[in-house]
Amino acid sequence: MYEPNVVGDWQEYDEEHAGLRVRVHGLEKAEPPRGRDDAAEGLTYVRFRVTVENRTTAYFGIHLEDGQLDVRVGADGESAFLDWRNSQFIEGFDVYPLRRVTAVLYAAADEAGLGRVDVQVQLKVDDEWTHRYLWSGGIDLRQPSVGAGARPDGSGDSLAAQVASFLREETETGPGSTG
């Protein structure tokens, strides 16, 4: 089963781009530096970074712009508004060995959906498209979010929470239990 990266994790490339790695990190609520776009009226802005690191002995030409990113929010994966005017993309930058390059990006979405944010990235390296990778994270909204089928007692709806809940129930109702 394919599992997404967690926001902050590095993703290593294979084969022709071996030694190159990328990550989405720094996901937080933040206002854009050049003011809000009119299309984002009533939405909450978030900022995140995409960093590409070269761990090889050769350089790579990196390109990352708005068409190579997809930001989705909430349990239903609704599209977020990517503010290209405020975002700082990577446009044809040569990343030399043991160096990094970072794009700072701004997106806006309904605040209720920011508990679950998915960012999909597809780099263009030396005029070749790389594999798409997905990062998942969220913004703490100080309110527990309850997804479809989740129990409102805070157990959550992630796979890890479901497994933990199942094991807890099995232990309580298993052989030799009084409940």
Side-chain angles (χ1 to χ4, degrees):
M1 178 170 104
Y2 175 76
E3 292 186 25
N5 297 295
V6 175
V7 169
D9 286 350
W10 287 100
Q11 174 63 55
E12 304 273 343
Y13 284 97
D14 297 343
E15 299 165 13
E16 71 270 3
H17 301 116
L20 196 63
R21 65 186 194 160
V22 64
R23 75 176 174 156
V24 172
H25 60 104
L27 179 64
E28 61 187 355
K29 285 171 62 172
E31 286 296 314
R34 292 189 265 297
R36 299 176 65 85
D37 189 297
D38 292 341
E41 186 176 334
L43 301 176
T44 302
Y45 265 94
V46 294
R47 175 179 56 213
F48 62 94
R49 291 170 169 74
V50 177
T51 298
V52 180
E53 182 178 65
N54 184 355
R55 299 168 56 121
T56 68
T57 57
Y59 72 87
F60 289 104
I62 304 297
H63 193 84
L64 178 66
E65 60 183 9
D66 60 340
Q68 296 165 250
L69 294 156
D70 194 8
V71 181
R72 302 286 171 157
V73 298
D76 292 331
E78 294 180 16
S79 182
F81 169 72
L82 184 60
D83 189 340
W84 61 268
R85 184 179 63 124
N86 280 294
S87 295
Q88 300 166 351
F89 297 100
I90 303 168
E91 298 181 30
F93 190 82
D94 291 337
V95 181
Y96 281 81
L98 305 176
R99 299 287 192 263
R100 294 179 177 174
V101 62
T102 299
V104 180
L105 305 148
Y106 289 86
D110 183 39
E111 187 167 8
L114 295 178
R116 181 181 296 174
V117 179
D118 292 331
V119 179
Q120 183 172 283
V121 177
Q122 183 178 23
L123 293 177
K124 194 170 187 181
V125 179
D126 294 331
D127 295 322
E128 294 178 22
W129 293 103
T130 63
H131 183 75
R132 287 186 181 106
Y133 289 108
L134 180 71
W135 282 261
S136 291
I139 304 290
D140 179 19
L141 301 175
R142 302 190 194 286
Q143 298 174 358
S145 63
V146 178
R151 293 177 18 199
D153 64 2
S155 64
D157 62 349
S158 71
L159 181 59
Q162 290 175 21
V163 169
S165 177
F166 172 78
L167 292 174
R168 193 169 32 255
E169 289 173 8
E170 287 296 307
T171 316
E172 293 169 357
T173 61
S177 68
T178 58

